[in-house]
Amino acid sequence: MRSFLKRLFNNKKIKILPKDFLSKIFSLEKAKGVFVHAGLSKIRCIEGVSDPYAYLLNELERNYKIIFVPGFTPSFRNSGIFHKKYSKPEYGMWSKLFLKDSEQRTMDAIHSIQVKGDYDFSSCNHQDSFGSNSCFNKLIKDNILVADIGTDDFVCTFIHVVECLNKVPYIYISEVDGVVYSDDIFFYSVKQVNYEPKIDYRWNRNKLVRELKNNGLLRDYSANGFLVYFFNAGDVFKFLDKKVKENSWYLVI
């Protein structure tokens, strides 16, 4: 498998990636479940793909029993209303389309997680997005596999857990009041604990990618401008948590 990928990556003349490109990568990244960030437009560069959403979902289902997908709704900060079933994810077509296929969704009004498959978030505090008992920190403790597929850059929502638990100086923890609907009848009031930036900042993704790769924590299967990264949330968290404890500005400088 690795020789196939090595030949593929070294062949600069290839414009269309072979149909089994992702399936061969998935066969190298064995896990029960995977948390997926995806850019569907890039998946069209794979041979024979006319419906990138259906293609990616099918490939994932063939290889993983549980699929986690972001269901983020930042507009809750203004609207104060979140409906588990009807609040459409606001970032990316992959997340929006997955809503109809997801079998459960966490009750986090800003950073919900959509799930296809059997996974238990019942012990988590769904109203604390990135705290010690959050749904994201449970995935970190379980060292869940994470995939960036066709994204424009390294994507890692789990970094917010590092920031919030370490109280980095460029954010503050906030509470957003609102109402959460779990179905068409039952609703309840919440104070969603999340974060707000104190300054305009961006993660230094180039440095993060370089250092995570150098430490064997980020696997890169990218080819011809089609980015594919895999990493394990717990392993990356431990590395970044140590770095941030040494320098609270590490992620952004």
Side-chain angles (χ1 to χ4, degrees):
M1 294 296 184
R2 294 189 183 277
S3 61
F4 161 83
L5 293 169
K6 184 176 181 180
R7 291 196 305 272
L8 177 63
F9 298 162
N10 290 334
N11 190 343
K12 304 301 182 182
K13 295 180 181 180
I14 293 177
K15 300 299 181 185
I16 303 295
L17 296 171
K19 190 174 183 179
D20 59 352
F21 174 66
L22 285 183
S23 64
K24 287 187 179 293
I25 294 172
F26 294 161
S27 71
L28 300 174
E29 295 287 347
K30 299 289 189 181
K32 183 177 180 180
V34 61
F35 190 105
V36 182
H37 306 101
L40 294 183
S41 61
K42 295 293 181 67
I43 293 175
R44 292 186 184 278
C45 72
I46 297 176
E47 181 185 7
V49 173
S50 58
D51 185 339
Y53 173 77
Y55 167 81
L56 177 57
L57 183 60
N58 180 64
E59 290 294 331
L60 289 168
E61 288 180 320
R62 287 173 53 196
N63 289 274
Y64 304 101
K65 292 183 179 180
I66 312 170
I67 303 168
F68 304 91
V69 174
F72 302 162
T73 48
S75 63
F76 178 82
R77 289 186 171 99
N78 297 316
S79 70
I81 298 175
F82 172 78
H83 196 296
K84 182 178 181 180
K85 182 177 179 181
Y86 299 120
S87 290
K88 184 174 288 188
E90 297 166 22
Y91 291 132
M93 192 56 65
W94 165 244
S95 294
K96 290 181 173 69
L97 293 174
F98 192 80
L99 182 61
K100 64 180 173 57
D101 289 303
S102 66
E103 297 167 354
Q104 64 166 304
R105 187 179 189 181
T106 62
M107 296 299 289
D108 185 317
I110 299 176
H111 285 97
S112 65
I113 301 169
Q114 306 177 87
V115 187
K116 187 173 176 60
D118 184 20
Y119 191 82
D120 185 10
F121 283 111
S122 63
S123 64
C124 301
N125 181 354
H126 293 228
Q127 267 60 72
D128 187 357
S129 298
F130 301 115
S132 59
N133 195 34
S134 64
C135 297
F136 276 96
N137 204 30
K138 176 175 171 55
L139 293 176
I140 286 170
K141 291 175 181 177
D142 287 346
N143 203 22
I144 201 74
L145 182 67
V146 185
D148 295 342
I149 301 171
T151 55
D152 291 329
D153 209 335
F154 171 61
V155 182
C156 182
T157 306
F158 300 90
I159 291 177
H160 290 310
V161 181
V162 179
E163 293 177 319
C164 290
L165 292 185
N166 284 284
K167 298 182 173 63
V168 294
Y170 49 87
I171 67 167
Y172 67 92
I173 304 302
S174 66
E175 290 185 349
V176 183
D177 294 322
V179 176
V180 167
Y181 287 81
S182 60
D183 54 34
D184 292 341
I185 299 174
F186 184 70
F187 64 91
Y188 52 93
S189 299
V190 300
K191 287 184 178 294
Q192 188 67 47
V193 179
N194 210 270
Y195 73 95
E196 294 285 348
K198 291 181 180 179
I199 59 173
D200 185 21
Y201 75 93
R202 288 181 174 84
W203 296 330
N204 187 340
R205 294 177 193 267
N206 290 335
K207 180 185 77 172
L208 295 177
V209 167
R210 181 177 64 253
E211 296 201 2
L212 289 172
K213 282 185 180 180
N214 288 344
N215 284 274
L217 300 173
L218 184 65
R219 281 92 67 190
D220 187 350
Y221 301 99
S222 305
N224 299 336
F226 184 66
L227 183 147
V228 184
Y229 288 148
F230 273 86
F231 58 95
N232 290 88
D235 295 338
V236 166
F237 174 84
K238 289 177 185 176
F239 176 82
L240 296 180
D241 184 61
K242 181 175 184 294
K243 292 290 187 180
V244 169
K245 280 179 168 53
E246 295 169 352
N247 179 357
S248 59
W249 292 89
Y250 168 80
L251 296 167
V252 300
I253 61 173

